[in-house]
C-alpha cells in the first residue's frame, strides 16, 4: 500500500513537471523556429558588436519571452549556435524567466499595493543577469562550455518546416528528460524536510535570506507561480522573499539539470554557483534600498 509520503512525493513531482511542461514546449518551439527561420545576420544586427554592450541588451531582451526557465535554456543554446556570444546568451537565459511581463504581472497580483516589490524584482533580476554575462566575459572559459551540437540554420534547398520539426523534437526530448530529473529532486526535498525547519530560519534576517534562496533552488517553482509562494511565506522579511523570487527563476534543481544536459556539467556547476551568489547579493542590496 502506498504511504502518504509517497503520495505527496508523486504529487509534487507531477505538479512541477506539468507546471513547467507548457513553457518547455514554448521554449523548444521558439528554439526550433530560431534555428529554421531566423537568418544568422539578424542577431549581428540586433545586438551590439561589442560583447560588453551586447550583454545588457540581451538581458533586457529577455522581457519579450513569456516563459519560465525551462523555456530559456534551449533558446539560449540556439542563440549560441547561431553565433551570439555566450555571455549575451547567458544574460538572456537568466533574465527571460525573471523579468517577462507575465512574471511581473503575477508579482504585482501576489503583492497588491506593493509596487516596490515588482520594481525590486525587475532591477535585481536584470542586474544579476548583466553581472553574470560580464563575469562570463571576464572569467569564462571555452572548455567549460560543452553545448549539445546539432545542425544550426537553414540549409539551402531544404524544407524550413522539416528543419523546425527536427530541431523542436531534438530539443524537447533532450530537455524533457532533465526536467523530470529536476522535478524528482524537488519532490524529494519537499517530502523529506519538515515544515518546522522552515520556521527555525525566519527569525534571522541574514539566515532567512540564505534559507529562502536555498529553498527556491530546491522547490523548483515555475517563475510564473513563485511570487504567490513567496507571498505565502509571510513569516520572512520582504528582502528574503525577494531573494526567493530572484534566485528561483535563475537557479533551481530542474534548471541545473537542464543546463547540465545542454551545456555540460562543468558549466552548470560553476554557472549555477556563481549565479546564486550574485542573485543573493543583488537581492540584498536592491531589496534593502527599496523594500
Amino acid at each position: 500500500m502506498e504511504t502518504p509520503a509517497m503520495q505527496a512525493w508523486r504529487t509534487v513531482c507531477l505538479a512541477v513537471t506539468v507546471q513547467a511542461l507548457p513553457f518547455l514546449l514554448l521554449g523548444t518551439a521558439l528554439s526550433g523556429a530560431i534555428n529554421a527561420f531566423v537568418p544568422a545576420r539578424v542577431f549581428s544586427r540586433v545586438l551590439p558588436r561589442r560583447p560588453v554592450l551586447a550583454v545588457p541588451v540581451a538581458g533586457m531582451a529577455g522581457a519579450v519571452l513569456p516563459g519560465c526557465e525551462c523555456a530559456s535554456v534551449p533558446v539560449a543554446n540556439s542563440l549560441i549556435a547561431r553565433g551570439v556570444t555566450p555571455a549575451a546568451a547567458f544574460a538572456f537565459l537568466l533574465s527571460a524567466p525573471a523579468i517577462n511581463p507575465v512574471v511581473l504581472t503575477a508579482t504585482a497580483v501576489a503583492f497588491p499595493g506593493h509596487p516596490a516589490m515588482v520594481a525590486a524584482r525587475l532591477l535585481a533580476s536584470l542586474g544579476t543577469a548583466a553581472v553574470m554575462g560580464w563575469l562570463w566575459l571576464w572569467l569564462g572559459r571555452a572548455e567549460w562550455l560543452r553545448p549539445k551540437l546539432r545542425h544550426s540554420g537553414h540549409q539551402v534547398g531544404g524544407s524550413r518546416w522539416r528543419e523546425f520539426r527536427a530541431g523542436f523534437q531534438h530539443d524537447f526530448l533532450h530537455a524533457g528528460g532533465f526536467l523530470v530529473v529536476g522535478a524528482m529532486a524537488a519532490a524529494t526535498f519537499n517530502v523529506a524536510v519538515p515544515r518546522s525547519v522552515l520556521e527555525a530560519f525566519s527569525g534571522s534576517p541574514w539566515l532567512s535570506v540564505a534559507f529562502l534562496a536555498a529553498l527556491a533552488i530546491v522547490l523548483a517553482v515555475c517563475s510564473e507561480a513563485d511570487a504567490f509562494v513567496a507571498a505565502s511565506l509571510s513569516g520572512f522579511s520582504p528582502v528574503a522573499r525577494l531573494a526567493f523570487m530572484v534566485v528561483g527563476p535563475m537557479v533551481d534543481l530542474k534548471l541545473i539539470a537542464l543546463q547540465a544536459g545542454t551545456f555540460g556539467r562543468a558549466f552548470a556547476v560553476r554557472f549555477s554557483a556563481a549565479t546564486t551568489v550574485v542573485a543573493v547579493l543583488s537581492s540584498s542590496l536592491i531589496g534593502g534600498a527599496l523594500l
Side-chain angles (χ1 to χ4, degrees), residues 85-268:
T85 177
F90 296 150
F92 176 85
L93 182 153
L94 295 176
S95 68
I99 67 171
N100 70 70
V102 176
V103 169
L104 295 180
T105 300
T107 305
V109 172
F111 292 90
H114 294 85
M117 182 64 81
V118 181
R121 180 172 195 177
L122 171 63
L123 294 176
S125 299
L126 187 57
T128 300
V131 169
M132 285 304 302
W134 287 324
L135 280 177
W136 180 263
L137 284 177
W138 180 32
L139 300 174
R141 298 180 182 178
E143 59 265 27
W144 294 346
L145 190 59
R146 294 286 187 270
K148 298 296 180 182
L149 299 178
R150 61 175 171 85
H151 160 65
S152 177
H154 173 60
Q155 294 284 350
V156 177
S159 168
R160 292 185 183 272
W161 284 106
R162 186 178 296 112
E163 291 171 0
F164 165 75
R165 185 171 61 251
F168 167 74
Q169 183 180 39
H170 174 278
D171 286 346
F172 179 75
L173 293 177
H174 180 78
F178 287 95
L179 168 62
V180 173
V181 172
M184 292 171 65
T188 300
F189 177 87
N190 274 271
V191 172
V193 178
R195 182 167 294 274
S196 59
V197 174
L198 304 181
E199 300 171 353
F201 286 88
S202 61
S204 170
W206 291 107
L207 282 179
S208 63
V209 170
F211 182 75
L212 284 195
L215 187 65
I217 294 173
V218 295
L219 286 184
V221 181
C222 198
S223 58
E224 276 74 17
D226 64 356
F228 299 97
V229 177
S232 70
L233 300 172
S234 56
F236 291 86
S237 68
V239 175
R241 288 186 281 175
L242 174 64
F244 179 88
M245 293 187 292
V246 173
V247 172
M250 299 183 178
V251 189
D252 65 32
L253 291 179
K254 68 177 184 294
L255 180 56
I256 294 172
L258 285 168
Q259 288 180 358
T262 303
F263 300 114
R265 186 170 58 182
F267 167 83

Side-chain angles (χ1 to χ4, degrees), residues 2-58:
E2 194 174 42
T3 64
M6 285 300 299
Q7 291 177 348
W9 184 92
R10 184 179 60 187
T11 299
V12 173
C13 184
L14 287 175
V16 172
T17 303
V18 171
Q19 184 183 53
L21 195 58
F23 299 103
L24 182 61
L25 279 167
L26 172 65
T28 50
L30 182 57
S31 173
I34 290 173
N35 182 66
F37 298 109
V38 180
R41 62 180 180 273
V42 170
F43 303 107
S44 61
R45 292 177 179 176
V46 172
L47 293 175
R49 293 185 178 181
R50 296 182 61 185
V52 70
L53 298 179
V55 166
V57 172

